[in-house]
């Protein structure tokens, strides 16, 4: 007899774009039902990413499964592993993280090139398979991420999406030590971690967001310059001035709306790089072809990260150089968290603790 319950508490989106419901009788996949390679994880906590709000509101060109249990910044304990799992890298009792990418085949061209997130067989936590807004989730032994022992679960959770995403974006941005990095969205979940990874990499940060709380957070975390996008009359001029007159070497855009992308090409200096990270579903990137060519601008889409990015991002956090700023709430508060995210009211991140 296993001690795994057959039902659980979960936050469920019953149909595309419908209101969230807290269910007490959502099924738990039983250990005997796990396929080889699958594991059952009992969750302690999960971060809430703006992506979960996009998935729940169905405002992207791609649609989530339904019914949907969202969530992809989970930390928990492996409580069961599918029978006949070969070369299993985890054991029962291990503390692991659940990230956006739940599964990839590890054998196709994309996986072999380190772009596991672009694997045609990819499975996505909280989008194509159920995620972490529940007491239990099914994941895959080769993709769960070991959590460094000195990091508390609540502190590790948001590294698994927000942290690893901005770490990878900065890694591929061509920015060098001493370069200016502009961060539209700096006060949000991804942005406040981007400030810290950028500072750890030796970059100089211009934080762009709005409100006194986000300004305080950004400056505390090491931004040198602050621009309030609702107050600045001319963002291009403001960024150029902040970066000594020539503009930023790189922009990592993590705002969830089109407006964060506006003018980014214009405030980059020649040779600069725009890392597109924020995911407004229907927006187009406005870029002057002439100036993109004339200024030798790079535009790069950066989509979460692979297993190595996750391990690196957690390693940097475990060294103390990057610290998630979060408030804790219970799973039942998810709807309120979505409302606050929509209104841009969350500085840093919210982490939800699971009912025991
Ligand atoms: P968030 O809501 O916590 O942060 C977004 C921030 O952008 C807010 O602080 C908001 O005030 C700010 N903002 C809005 N308009 C702005 C503007 N014009 N200029 C500057 N700042 C502006 O959201 P989050 O969880 O950090 O996620 C941000 C986006 O990144 C979402 O669209 C999410 O889906 C996406 N995302 C992408 C990836 C990826 O792999 N590329 C991974 C995770 C999340
Ligand atoms: Zn996310």
């Amino acid at each position: 007899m296993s001690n795994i319950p057959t039902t659980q508490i979960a936050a469920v989106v019953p149909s595309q774009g419908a209101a969230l419901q807290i269910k007490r009788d959502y099924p738990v996949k039983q250990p005997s039902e796990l396929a080889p390679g699958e594991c059952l994880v009992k969750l302690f906590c999960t971060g809430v990413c703006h992506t979960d709000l996009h998935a729940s509101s169905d405002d992207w060109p791609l649609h989530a499964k339904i019914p949907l249990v969202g969530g992809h910044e989970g930390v928990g304990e492996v409580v069961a592993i599918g029978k006949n799992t070969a070369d299993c890298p985890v054991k029962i009792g291990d503390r692991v993280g659940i990230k956006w990418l739940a599964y990839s085949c590890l054998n196709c061209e994309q996986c072999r090139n380190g772009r596991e997130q672009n694997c045609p067989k990819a499975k996505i936590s909280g989008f194509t398979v159920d995620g972490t807004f529940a007491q239990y989730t099914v994941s895959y032994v080769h993709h769960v991420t070991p959590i460094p022992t000195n990091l508390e679960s609540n502190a590790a959770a948001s590294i698994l999406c927000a942290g690893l995403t901005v770490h990878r974006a900065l890694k591929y941005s061509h920015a060098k030590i001493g370069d200016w990095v502009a961060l539209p969205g700096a006060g949000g979940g991804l942005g406040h971690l981007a400030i810290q990874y950028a500072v750890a990499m030796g970059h100089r940060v211009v934080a762009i967001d709005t409100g006194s709380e986000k300004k305080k957070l950004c400056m505390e975390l090491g931004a040198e310059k602050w621009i309030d996008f609702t107050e600045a009359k001319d963002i291009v001029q403001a960024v150029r001035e902040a970066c000594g007159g020539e503009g930023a070497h790189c922009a990592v855009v993590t705002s969830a709306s089109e407006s964060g992308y506006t003018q980014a090409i214009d405030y980059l200096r020649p040779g600069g790089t725009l890392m597109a990270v924020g995911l407004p579903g229907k927006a187009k990137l406005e870029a002057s072809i002439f100036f993109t060519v004339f200024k030798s601008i790079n535009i790069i889409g950066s989509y979460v990260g692979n297993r190595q990015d996750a391990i690196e991002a957690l390693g940097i956090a475990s060294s103390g150089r990057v610290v998630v700023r979060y408030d804790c709430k219970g799973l039942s508060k998810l709807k309120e968290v979505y409302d606050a995210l929509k209104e841009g009211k969350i500085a840093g991140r919210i982490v939800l603790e699971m009912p025991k």
Side-chain angles (χ1 to χ4, degrees):
M1 267 295 281
S2 95
N3 56 358
I4 310 292
T6 53
T7 59
Q8 60 176 325
I9 302 174
V12 183
V13 181
S15 60
Q16 238 106 42
L20 195 72
Q21 295 174 354
I22 301 294
K23 296 226 181 229
R24 307 192 71 83
D25 58 352
Y26 201 74
V28 179
K29 194 164 184 180
Q30 295 298 293
S32 60
E33 299 165 343
L34 294 172
E38 289 183 346
C39 58
L40 186 68
V41 175
K42 183 176 197 297
L43 291 157
F44 306 139
C45 61
T46 177
V48 184
C49 179
H50 206 117
T51 289
D52 299 311
L53 173 59
H54 292 299
S56 171
S57 355
D58 195 32
D59 66 6
W60 275 353
L62 298 176
H63 307 284
K65 78 179 270 285
I66 46 164
L68 172 71
V69 175
H72 56 273
E73 289 187 348
V75 177
E77 179 186 351
V78 177
V79 291
I81 295 170
K83 226 169 100 185
N84 300 325
T85 294
D87 300 326
C88 188
V90 291
K91 55 185 189 320
I92 289 179
D94 282 1
R95 195 166 62 123
V96 294
I98 310 287
K99 55 186 167 45
W100 178 250
L101 188 65
Y103 172 88
S104 75
C105 78
L106 304 180
N107 205 31
C108 66
E109 180 184 328
Q110 298 297 335
C111 284
R112 290 194 306 267
N113 278 323
R115 269 190 312 275
E116 295 162 358
Q117 61 275 45
N118 294 117
C119 171
K121 293 188 181 155
K123 293 183 184 159
I124 300 172
S125 310
F127 201 73
T128 66
V129 295
D130 280 345
T132 57
F133 295 150
Q135 291 173 294
Y136 291 85
T137 193
V138 175
S139 201
Y140 297 84
V141 295
H142 292 286
H143 264 284
V144 291
T145 311
I147 305 293
T149 45
N150 70 333
L151 266 189
E152 281 183 23
S153 300
N154 288 359
S158 294
I159 301 295
L160 289 153
C161 177
L164 86 89
T165 299
V166 297
H167 167 60
R168 181 179 171 102
L170 285 160
K171 206 164 88 172
Y172 286 89
S173 73
H174 309 142
K176 301 185 300 297
I177 188 165
D179 280 358
W180 282 104
V181 174
L183 297 175
L190 269 63
H192 89 289
L193 295 175
I195 296 173
Q196 299 176 67
Y197 283 104
V199 169
M201 292 174 196
H203 307 320
R204 306 180 70 182
V205 170
V206 181
I208 310 172
D209 210 311
T210 189
S212 55
E213 195 188 352
K214 288 181 184 170
K215 175 180 181 183
K216 183 166 173 282
L217 176 68
C218 293
M219 299 314 279
E220 269 173 27
L221 296 177
E224 276 179 60
K225 301 283 169 65
W226 163 261
I227 296 170
D228 188 315
F229 72 89
T230 64
E231 289 171 4
K233 288 196 182 60
D234 182 346
I235 295 273
V236 174
Q237 194 52 28
V239 176
R240 282 195 187 150
E241 270 169 24
C243 305
E246 289 181 67
H249 297 86
C250 163
V252 179
V253 182
T254 61
S255 86
S257 64
E258 188 174 5
S259 64
Y261 281 92
T262 321
Q263 300 168 321
I265 304 285
D266 298 332
Y267 61 61
L268 287 172
R269 69 177 66 191
T273 302
L274 169 65
M275 299 303 289
V277 174
L279 282 164
K282 295 178 182 80
K284 295 260 190 310
L285 188 59
E286 280 263 332
S288 147
I289 294 172
F290 181 84
F291 283 110
T292 302
V293 175
F294 194 72
K295 287 172 66 181
S296 311
I297 296 292
N298 308 285
I299 302 176
I300 301 178
S302 191
Y303 176 43
V304 288
N306 59 25
R307 293 168 300 162
Q308 180 63 19
D309 298 317
I311 285 169
E312 288 171 7
L314 280 163
I316 295 165
S318 89
S319 78
R321 286 177 181 80
V322 168
V323 177
V324 183
R325 296 291 193 93
Y326 62 91
D327 278 340
C328 241
K329 293 183 189 294
L331 177 64
S332 62
K333 298 283 188 262
L334 181 56
K335 170 81 176 54
E336 288 167 29
V337 177
Y338 281 165
D339 291 342
L341 268 179
K342 249 182 245 170
E343 292 165 26
K345 282 197 181 140
I346 297 174
R349 222 13 156 208
I350 301 291
V351 172
L352 304 178
E353 287 182 337
M354 289 308 140
K356 296 259 158 42

